[in-house]
């Protein structure tokens, strides 16, 4: 993966005030911290219940294949178009030829919803584990009103922690990444210290046969697995603040997926071999149960504190990257102007951080399953599927675009990603599917209002601006 010098690779990216201070280690740490967090600790029981037994371990592997195929889409796009906002830029560049600003507008419209919803799941899971430490936070019915208040308070603290320079944030994220690794490895070691291989691999009879538990639960299981892998793209959202993005972004994406896949598989197998199956299905803090069985309640509580901190790190990393999406859109005059303003001293998009923090807090008041389904369906329809189209369009429309990384075996990974995302989307709950469609329809109506005021397509000319091409073709089409 060679990395030619290009405009914007310097420490400060001209024209937008963002600083390129994030190196390869920090970029990978940001991705992995966002990917792991609390996710597997709260979704392993749901995964086992959905897929009907130990065969759930293969759900993580299939989910990783989809994530890796999609990660190779991100790798090429991120290396070629390294700016703040990730998908927003990719869709802007790819779809400007036919639909003007529609696709980037819809992405910004949707990202302000699905990114903080995903962060809300981190808060929900975090509070569940706090229930193991603090009486009254959870009960048999789930999270109590006290727990929800605590969750909102934690969102406020995370938002306040984001108000610092990106150089300080990258150091903090690296520290949170190390805490996350400690928590995951502690649970894995605890699980394998009381491991029963027969129990772990005692697959449900007929599970892999026609109509078996594996196949009947695979779709819903993949919704969970894909949710747990989300975050490998966070460094791409920070493309305007990454050093040498042509090398750093592809490596951070690929390494983070492979690393987290290994951890998830070991974690799932370890839990299956150390806890009774029915106990796993009904657990609210399964990792704490594994730790308590292996090392006693005191050690379990100490490591649970680290799990909670890892969850905080995941939400922190997600809001850090996500807040750059409306910032980039506003700078292009495709979103509210207030989102395009940087903090005068800290060089961070203040409005994006605050708005997404508020939505994260609201989302934390709902159930984990409902929020996961809602977030994943909106994400798939306007990000994942749209990016699959974007890589194809850009290869045809901008063959002169500098590509420091080109997707290996193209178009095979792109096709795998397409098939995987379609399967995940149709496997989600019907309510979340209809809500995602309704949200996009509302977005189209909002765009038409915006376009009529701005006099852009379809009420005016399309502006063609190949911002990252080595031989840009700028102009206006009627």
């Amino acid at each position: 993966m060679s990395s030619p010098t290009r405009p914007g690779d310097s420490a400060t990216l001209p024209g937008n005030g963002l600083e390129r201070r994030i190196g390869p280690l920090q970029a990978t740490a940001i991705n992995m911290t966002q990917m792991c967090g609390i996710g597997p600790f709260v979704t392993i029981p749901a995964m086992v219940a959905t897929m009907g037994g130990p065969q759930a371990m293969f759900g993580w592997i299939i989910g990783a294949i989809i994530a890796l195929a999609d990660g190779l889409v991100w790798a090429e796009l991120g290396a070629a178009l390294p700016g703040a906002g990730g998908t927003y830029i990719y869709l802007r560049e790819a779809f400007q030829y036919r639909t003007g600003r529609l696709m980037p507008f819809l992405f910004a419209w949707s990202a302000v919803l699905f990114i903080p919803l995903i962060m809300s799941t981190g808060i929900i899971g975090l509070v569940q584990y706090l229930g193991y430490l603090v009486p009254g936070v959870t009960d048999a019915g789930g999270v109590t009103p006290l727990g929800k208040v605590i969750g909102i308070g934690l969102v406020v603290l995370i938002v306040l922690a984001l108000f610092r320079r990106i150089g300080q944030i990258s150091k903090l994220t690296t520290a949170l990444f190390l805490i996350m690794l400690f928590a995951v490895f502690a649970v894995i070691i605890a699980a394998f210290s009381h491991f029963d291989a027969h129990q772990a691999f005692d697959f449900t009879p007929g599970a892999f046969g026609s109509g078996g538990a594996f196949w009947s639960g695979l779709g819903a299981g993949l919704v969970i697995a894909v949710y747990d892998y989300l975050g490998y793209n966070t460094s791409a959202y920070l493309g305007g603040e990454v050093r040498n993005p042509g090398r750093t972004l592809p490596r951070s994406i690929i390494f983070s997926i492979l690393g987290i896949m290994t951890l998830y598989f070991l974690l799932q197998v370890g839990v299956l071999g150390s806890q009774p199956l029915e106990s796993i299905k009904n657990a609210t803090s399964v990792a704490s149960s594994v730790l308590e069985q292996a090392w006693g309640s005191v050690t379990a509580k100490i490591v649970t504190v680290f799990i909670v901190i890892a969850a905080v790190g995941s939400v922190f990393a997600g809001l850090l990257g996500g807040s750059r999406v409306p910032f980039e859109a506003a700078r292009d005059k495709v979103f509210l102007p207030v989102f395009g303003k940087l903090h005068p001293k800290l060089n961070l998009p203040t409005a994006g951080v605050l708005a997404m923090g508020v939505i994260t807090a609201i989302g934390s008041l709902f159930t984990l399953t409902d929020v996961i389904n809602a977030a994943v369906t909106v994400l798939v329809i306007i990000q994942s599927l749209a990016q699959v189209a974007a890589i194809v369009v850009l290869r045809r429309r901008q063959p002169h675009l500098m590509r420091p990384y080109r997707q290996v075996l193209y178009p095979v990974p792109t096709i795998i990603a397409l098939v995987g995302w379609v399967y995940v989307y149709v496997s989600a709950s019907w309510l979340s599917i209809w809500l995602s469609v309704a949200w996009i329809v509302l977005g189209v109506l909002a765009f038409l209002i915006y376009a009529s005021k701005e006099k852009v397509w379809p009420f005016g000319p399309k502006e063609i601006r190949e911002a990252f091409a080595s031989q840009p073709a700028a102009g206006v089409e009627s």
Side-chain angles (χ1 to χ4, degrees):
M1 301 178 194
S2 60
S3 180
T5 302
R6 61 187 300 157
D9 279 353
S10 57
T12 301
L13 187 62
N16 67 5
L18 297 176
E19 300 173 294
R20 292 197 179 276
R21 301 296 182 190
I22 301 175
L25 175 61
Q26 291 88 353
T28 304
I30 287 171
N31 287 350
M32 291 185 71
T33 302
Q34 162 61 12
M35 290 171 75
C36 189
I38 200 73
F41 295 123
V42 295
T43 55
I44 281 178
M47 190 74 156
V48 173
T50 297
M51 300 192 69
Q55 53 274 6
M57 66 178 70
F58 297 108
W60 297 109
I61 296 176
I62 298 173
I65 292 172
I66 296 173
L68 187 58
D70 188 60
L72 294 177
V73 174
W74 278 91
E76 177 169 322
L77 294 174
L81 310 169
T87 299
Y88 170 79
I89 292 178
Y90 315 152
L91 302 191
R92 182 192 69 192
E93 293 295 304
F95 295 103
Q96 60 184 323
Y97 305 98
R98 289 190 178 276
T99 56
R101 301 179 185 179
L102 173 62
M103 289 303 291
F105 179 94
L106 286 178
F107 176 72
W109 168 268
S110 300
V112 172
L113 177 66
F114 74 72
I115 291 175
L117 280 182
I118 293 171
M119 298 309 102
S120 297
T121 64
I123 297 297
I124 295 168
L126 181 159
V127 172
Q128 287 184 14
Y129 272 80
L130 275 180
Y132 181 77
L133 302 170
V134 182
V137 173
T138 59
D139 57 23
V143 178
T144 65
L146 172 62
K148 292 180 179 180
V149 171
I150 291 174
I152 292 174
L154 288 169
V155 173
V156 173
L157 292 177
I158 291 169
V159 169
L160 292 176
L162 283 166
F163 276 83
R164 58 194 69 243
R165 287 188 174 276
I166 191 65
Q168 297 172 317
I169 287 176
S170 63
K171 293 176 182 177
L172 178 58
T173 303
T174 301
L176 291 169
F177 169 63
L178 294 175
I179 291 172
M180 180 273 292
L181 284 181
F182 169 78
V184 173
F185 277 118
V187 177
I188 291 173
I189 293 170
F192 279 95
S193 68
H194 290 75
F195 185 72
D196 181 343
H198 175 73
Q199 177 178 295
F201 297 100
D202 185 20
F203 303 120
T204 304
F208 300 101
S210 177
F214 175 80
W215 300 108
S216 61
L218 180 60
L222 283 180
V223 173
I224 297 171
V226 163
Y227 154 77
D228 279 319
Y229 282 112
L230 292 178
Y232 53 83
N233 50 15
T234 304
S235 59
Y237 282 128
L238 299 166
E241 295 156 274
V242 172
R243 295 198 307 268
N244 196 2
R247 291 176 60 87
T248 299
L249 289 178
R251 284 165 169 77
S252 68
I253 291 168
I254 295 169
F255 291 162
S256 60
I257 293 172
L258 294 176
I260 289 295
M261 175 190 69
T262 303
L263 292 178
Y264 282 178
F265 187 76
L266 289 174
L267 192 61
Q268 176 70 88
V269 173
V271 169
L272 285 167
S274 63
Q275 296 283 299
L277 190 61
E278 291 306 313
S279 175
I280 295 172
K281 291 179 180 179
N282 299 315
T284 56
S285 52
V286 69
S288 299
S289 299
V290 170
L291 291 161
E292 184 173 335
Q293 174 184 299
W295 299 323
S297 62
V298 174
T299 302
K301 289 180 180 179
I302 292 172
V303 179
T304 298
V305 170
F306 283 97
I307 292 174
V308 171
I309 294 173
V312 171
S314 175
V315 177
F316 180 90
L319 291 179
L320 170 66
S323 62
R324 272 59 179 173
V325 174
F327 166 73
E328 186 69 21
R331 287 181 61 245
D332 275 355
K333 298 182 179 179
V334 184
F335 214 60
L336 297 174
V338 67
F339 285 91
K341 297 178 181 179
L342 290 173
H343 190 282
K345 294 183 179 180
L346 303 177
N347 288 331
L348 60 85
T350 307
V353 171
L354 293 176
M356 289 193 172
V358 170
I359 297 173
T360 298
I362 295 172
S364 70
L365 301 176
F366 295 88
T367 67
L368 182 66
T369 303
D370 288 344
V371 177
I372 287 176
N373 273 268
V376 168
T377 49
V378 175
L379 175 145
V380 168
I381 198 171
I382 197 59
Q383 180 184 71
S384 304
L385 294 177
Q387 280 193 179
V388 166
I391 193 173
V392 176
V393 170
L394 284 170
R395 284 213 174 197
R396 181 170 59 88
R397 288 281 192 172
Q398 295 189 27
H400 46 278
L401 179 66
M402 187 182 297
R403 291 175 172 83
Y405 171 82
R406 296 180 71 88
Q407 187 183 96
V408 179
L409 300 178
Y410 176 86
V412 175
T414 300
I415 294 171
I416 293 173
L418 173 63
V419 174
W421 286 125
V422 170
Y423 184 66
V424 167
Y425 184 76
V426 299
S427 298
S429 68
W430 280 107
L431 176 60
S432 62
I433 291 174
W434 282 113
L435 288 175
S436 69
V437 172
W439 184 256
I440 298 303
V441 170
L442 286 175
V444 171
L445 294 176
F447 172 78
L448 292 175
I449 295 172
Y450 152 81
S452 66
K453 291 183 177 180
E454 294 291 324
K455 304 302 179 184
V456 296
W457 183 92
F459 301 102
K462 288 178 287 189
E463 300 173 4
I464 306 301
R465 182 171 63 92
E466 297 178 351
F468 290 84
S470 56
Q471 298 176 357
V476 175
E477 286 189 4
S478 306

